[in-house]
Each structure stands twice: as structure tokens, then as C-alpha cells.
Amino acid sequence: MSAASNKIVHRDEITDDTFTNDSGQIPEKYIRTDEVCAGAIVGEDEAYELPAVDMARLLDPESSASETAKLGSACRDWGFFQLTNHGVDEAAIQRMKDSTVQFFGLPLDGKNTVAVRGDGFEGYGHHYSRLSKLDWAESVILITQPVQDRNMELWPTSPPMFRHALEEYSAEVTKLMRQLLGSMAADLGVGREALLGAFTGKRQSMAIHHYPPCRHPDKVIGNTAHTDGLALTVLLPVDDTPGLQVLRGGRWFPVRPRPGALVVNVGDILHILTNGTYRSVEHRVVVSAGRGRTTAVVFQDASVGGLVAPLPELLRGGGEARYRSIPRFEYLKVRFSALAKRTGFLESLKL
Ligand SMILES: O=C(O)CCC(=O)C(=O)O
Ligand SMILES: [Fe+2]
């Protein structure tokens, strides 16, 4: 990521145990009460459900048409859904969960053996530091695919099964995404290869996050409100602590995790590829007073002929592009500079 020296994408090393020692004192750099209060949060008593999509039904010829319609409407309407019966190997999921929990349980010195270095973005550290305030979280970010892009020096060796767990889980999610993209292509009315081709061989990265409990959850943010910058995101909740909230109609909808489900969301690149048909939606993580939250998130990149652009197949027959195309190598620079100016990135690309 050549824009790594840009302040917005800088990740800082974690040098003290502020948020894991539970002393109760919150340093100023974490205090963001205004942001926590920005926007109404939908209450416990309001009935709603994030759409759920059943992978087994998508793959079954008997039910695939109706389930594909559900998938399509979830991506158009919410930009998020919970994926049930996803078929990802349960043992691989368990190894991923166990490794993640054990890694974050290490003393700080142990975690810092894979600390972010210099201006890099991979390794253990804070989230991207955004506008001088820090998120109440510790994260490991790693490139997982293609294999030759991995930086093995930053792949944790403790616990010993972590590398294997990452490798195996990353391969499982790659397979799952291909299946999902096949169904998305059917929903969008484009050839399977037209959509899959945009993703094949492109980079996949993983972020594992730990949001420790905080005595003053109303003062800190676990993960700043954002849209995901890549194309498609698959989130594995490691525990059942809530915290993820999705913005819809100006209000934050807490995601109520379904046992065993993965949470899938549309990122900015898929928003552009689909010419705005699928929506990349803002989300954030709030912190809990009593329980920590851990997640393992896979981000998949995509582009068409070196460009982030609407799929040419969608524009055949006279459809108009609603987004400007940008070369993939310039994409992050353009995105981060829009974010730095606090202008909506997708808005800035609208034609
Ligand atoms: O950990 C979560 O619940 C959300 C993480 C997230 O939104 C991200 O890493 O982009
Ligand atoms: Fe995200």
C-alpha cells in the first residue's frame, strides 16, 4: 500500500497496556464521546432483522432462484447480511477462533513480536489511526492471498497453530466467496465469469480485531464509522458479544449475531463494480463494559482490467456509468484523500 505514509492509513504500534489492564483511566487519545453519541441507535425493543441468506439454499437448484433474490435485495438495501449454512469447515473455524483468542491473550511483548513496522500496515497494532484519535481495539492485519504476497515475518507463530489456521481459513473463505459471487452474478444479470474475473487472483487480506471491555463504553469507539474500502468482506464473530452497528436511514442498527452465521458486507469496490446497485454501507463497532469482542475479518479486492470501474457488461445495451473509473493503483490514494477531506468517497466519484 504505497499510500501508507499518508497519516490516515498509518497504523501505530501498541506501546502500553492501557485498554487491557482495566485500570479505569481512559487516556484522552481514546475519548470520543461525541462520535459515540452521533446518530440514534435503534433500541432493543424495536423489531428488525439484518437480512439472512442461506448458502445451502443458494446452491440447491430447487431454492436457488428465491434465495438469490433475497441475496440481491440484501445487497441493494442493507449492503449487509448474515450468511447461514455457509459450509465453511467447522474445524477450520474453530482453529481460527482458538488461535485468535490465544494470540490476544498473550502479554504485550508476545504480540509485539509481529508489531507493525515503520509505515507498514501489516502486523499487530492499532487500527488505522484516524484523525489523531485511537480506536479502543488491538488488531492484526495480514495479506493472505495471493500466497506470494504474504509477509511471513509478520505471521504470528504463537500460538503454534495460528499460521495453519489462517492459511486454512483464508482458503475456505476464498471458496465461499466464489460461490457467493456466482449467485451475485445471477442476481445482477451478468455472466458468472464477468464478475468472478474481477476477483480472481486479486489480493485478500485479513484483520483480526480485539475490542477489550471498557468501563466507560460511552466514551470510546471500537472501530470508527467507515465503509470497507475493498470489494467484499466476510466477518467471523469469534464470540457472541454484540458491538457491530450498521447505518441505515441515519440510524445505527446493532447486528444481533445469529449463532454460527458469518456476516457479509459489500465494500466500496463492489459498489462501484455494480454501478451502485449493491451498496457499501457505513458501519462501526461500539464497545461493551462487561465483555470483550473478537472478530476475524476477510477483505477481498477486485478490479477490471486494472481499473476500479462499473462492470462493462452492466453498461452494455446503453446503461450509463454512474461512477468514474480510476486505475486500481491510484484508488487508495484517491479514497484516503477524500476521507481526509471528510468528503464522501463514493460521492466524489459520482458522474
Ligand atoms: O469487528 C467488527 O465487528 C467490524 C470490523 C470492521 O468493520 C472492519 O474491520 O472493517
Ligand atoms: Fe468494516
Side-chain angles (χ1 to χ4, degrees), residues 5-215:
S5 57
N6 178 324
K7 186 78 182 110
I8 288 266
V9 290
H10 193 255
R11 292 186 67 221
D12 294 328
E13 199 177 332
I14 297 179
T15 51
D16 61 50
D17 61 352
T18 303
F19 43 61
T20 45
N21 73 8
D22 203 27
S23 70
Q25 253 309 339
I26 301 176
E28 186 55 35
K29 62 190 176 190
Y30 292 101
I31 296 188
R32 307 159 70 178
T33 315
D34 290 357
E35 277 175 73
V36 184
C37 300
I41 300 172
V42 172
E44 292 279 323
D45 49 341
E46 193 167 327
Y48 69 90
E49 209 166 5
L50 197 72
V53 174
D54 183 327
M55 191 73 226
R57 284 177 52 81
L58 278 179
L59 295 176
D60 178 349
E62 292 263 307
S63 48
S64 95
S66 65
E67 204 62 20
T68 300
K70 265 171 88 177
L71 168 72
S73 85
C75 294
R76 286 160 215 262
D77 192 15
W78 282 81
F80 265 82
F81 58 90
Q82 303 212 44
L83 187 65
T84 59
N85 286 321
H86 46 69
V88 175
D89 183 62
E90 282 304 326
I93 289 192
Q94 200 53 50
R95 277 190 280 275
M96 191 64 225
K97 289 184 172 180
D98 293 346
S99 304
T100 306
V101 169
Q102 287 172 36
F103 176 83
F104 285 123
L106 293 174
L108 185 58
D109 278 357
K111 293 182 273 199
N112 267 332
T113 57
V114 291
V116 284
R117 294 179 189 167
D119 274 344
F121 76 99
E122 286 187 90
Y124 170 75
H126 289 290
H127 282 160
Y128 300 132
S129 40
R130 295 176 236 230
L131 308 165
S132 80
K133 288 289 185 179
L134 289 173
D135 291 349
W136 192 261
E138 45 181 347
S139 308
V140 181
I141 298 182
L142 295 169
I143 293 167
T144 43
Q145 306 283 354
V147 174
Q148 66 271 20
D149 288 0
R150 293 179 183 170
N151 181 354
M152 294 313 291
E153 278 180 38
L154 295 174
W155 280 48
T157 52
S158 183
M161 70 171 158
F162 204 163
R163 288 184 170 191
H164 170 64
L166 275 166
E167 161 114 52
E168 181 184 41
Y169 182 72
S170 154
E172 285 281 321
V173 174
T174 305
K175 246 180 2 198
L176 174 70
M177 283 187 170
R178 292 186 69 80
Q179 291 174 334
L180 265 179
L181 288 164
S183 299
M184 287 177 177
D187 168 65
L188 291 161
V190 297
R192 198 183 154 80
E193 285 317 310
L195 188 61
L196 272 164
F199 286 76
T200 305
K202 305 291 158 47
R203 201 172 256 189
Q204 180 200 76
S205 49
M206 271 192 77
I208 59 168
H209 302 301
H210 175 226
Y211 310 98
C214 178
R215 287 196 192 176

Side-chain angles (χ1 to χ4, degrees), residues 207 209 211 223 226 228 233 235 244 283 285 293 295 297 299:
H209 302 301
Y211 310 98
N223 201 325
H226 66 283
D228 289 347
T233 306
L235 179 147
L244 178 60
H283 52 284
V285 175
R293 168 183 163 85
T295 54
V297 193
F299 302 102

Side-chain angles (χ1 to χ4, degrees), residues 52 156 229 240 251 332:
D240 59 4
R251 296 193 303 158
L332 289 177

